[in-house]
Amino acid sequence: MNAADAEPDATIIKVENLHSRLGGQPIHRGVDLEVTRGELMTVIGASGSGKTTLLQQIIGLQQPDQGSIRVLGQSLDDLEVWEARLLRRRWGVLFQQAALFSAMSVYDNLAFPVRELRKEGIHVDEDALRDGIALKLHMVGLAPEDAWKYPYELSGGMAKRAALARALMLEAELLFLDEPTSGLDPGSASEFDTLLAELHKELHLTAMMITHDIYSVAALSDRIAVLADGKLITVGTLEEVAHFDHPFITDFFRERKGEDRLQSLAAGRAQ
């Protein structure tokens, strides 16, 4: 790939004219999206609107029927196998159900992506790995002794934190979050939102989040993209999107309890 073909430095994800079908039914009809360096972009939409499919296409787990996707300056269509491996090292993914390996301790779950580098002939120093795991556990608010627990011994919030730590083990510069607070009680969800906001700021991450949680939307989003009718119908700040005239948006924001909390979260995000 020529240097001239790379995306401008500020553009981290670029999706153009994306078309997709699922079960014979069209779900994306010309989706266009850009995520810029350092921002947290949130994608919202009704169930079945193709939010998670879009994320999976961007990380290469699914292929669209038409259109182009560029991530960190590279077209996903043009990558050799070794190039795809190198690219995947630059991002981390927090899946909706945490997706920890049930037969592995938290320690080995976090070690897994690093130890996988050995398959590519990269030396892995176990002492440095141990120190890295301790640091990542501390960053996500888990205790050192939690490293030796198994997923079944963790609460939902702890499992999410462990999965987040694993997503950061390769020092990702780009983070994908699929329903990060799904399954958590309101208190745990609020704490996890706070953790994500702190890490986003401290690590200067670029992030793309899929969620239906209005409080996560308010607390975390720099910009919000709304997927409906097969397209991204609007992209903007919380205030801009909340006033966009569309049935899904009206329903998403209408008659929500805790409007004071929403305004407080949005104000805190803006500071």
Side-chain angles (χ1 to χ4, degrees), residues 28-236:
H28 299 143
R29 299 182 176 93
V31 170
D32 295 297
L33 176 67
E34 287 193 21
V35 179
T36 58
R37 185 174 299 279
E39 79 170 331
L40 195 155
M41 170 70 76
T42 298
V43 180
I44 64 174
S47 178
S49 61
K51 304 184 298 298
T52 295
T53 298
L54 175 62
L55 184 147
Q56 291 179 339
Q57 290 169 343
I58 292 172
I59 63 177
L61 295 182
Q62 294 190 37
Q63 297 295 319
D65 295 312
Q66 179 184 330
S68 66
I69 301 173
R70 299 177 74 88
V71 182
L72 294 163
Q74 296 184 266
S75 170
L76 300 191
D77 292 333
D78 301 334
L79 297 180
E80 300 289 343
V81 173
W82 67 269
E83 291 177 312
R85 286 200 301 264
L86 289 177
L87 183 59
R88 285 193 294 269
R89 288 187 206 164
R90 300 174 65 187
W91 70 57
V93 185
L94 175 60
F95 293 101
Q96 181 174 351
Q97 302 300 329
L100 296 172
F101 297 112
S102 60
M104 292 184 182
S105 66
V106 168
Y107 185 98
D108 287 328
N109 265 280
L110 269 63
F112 182 83
V114 180
R115 288 172 173 162
E116 282 291 286
L117 298 177
R118 289 172 174 162
K119 295 180 179 180
E120 301 171 34
I122 298 174
H123 172 70
V124 175
D125 183 272
E126 285 292 328
D127 290 337
L129 176 58
R130 182 185 63 247
D131 292 343
I133 290 172
L135 175 61
K136 292 301 186 292
L137 289 174
H138 176 73
M139 287 171 59
V140 301
L142 290 176
E145 57 268 26
D146 292 328
W148 310 112
K149 294 179 180 177
Y150 283 79
Y152 72 87
E153 298 177 287
L154 305 177
S155 67
M158 292 173 69
K160 294 274 189 177
R161 289 170 185 263
L164 178 59
R166 184 179 62 184
L168 297 173
M169 278 301 297
L170 295 181
E171 308 300 336
E173 58 191 281
L174 173 59
L175 188 61
F176 294 98
L177 307 163
D178 187 10
E179 301 282 4
T181 59
S182 176
L184 300 183
D185 62 78
S188 296
S190 178
E191 291 176 358
F192 200 69
D193 283 341
T194 299
L195 172 63
L196 288 173
E198 291 172 349
L199 292 176
H200 177 233
K201 181 178 180 180
E202 292 172 6
L203 301 179
H204 307 289
L205 293 170
T206 304
M208 177 178 170
M209 176 173 69
I210 307 297
T211 189
H212 66 276
D213 186 333
I214 191 171
Y215 296 113
S216 294
V217 171
L220 297 172
S221 308
D222 290 307
R223 291 193 298 153
I224 303 159
V226 184
L227 188 58
D229 309 321
K231 296 184 177 182
L232 290 175
I233 59 170
T234 187
V235 181

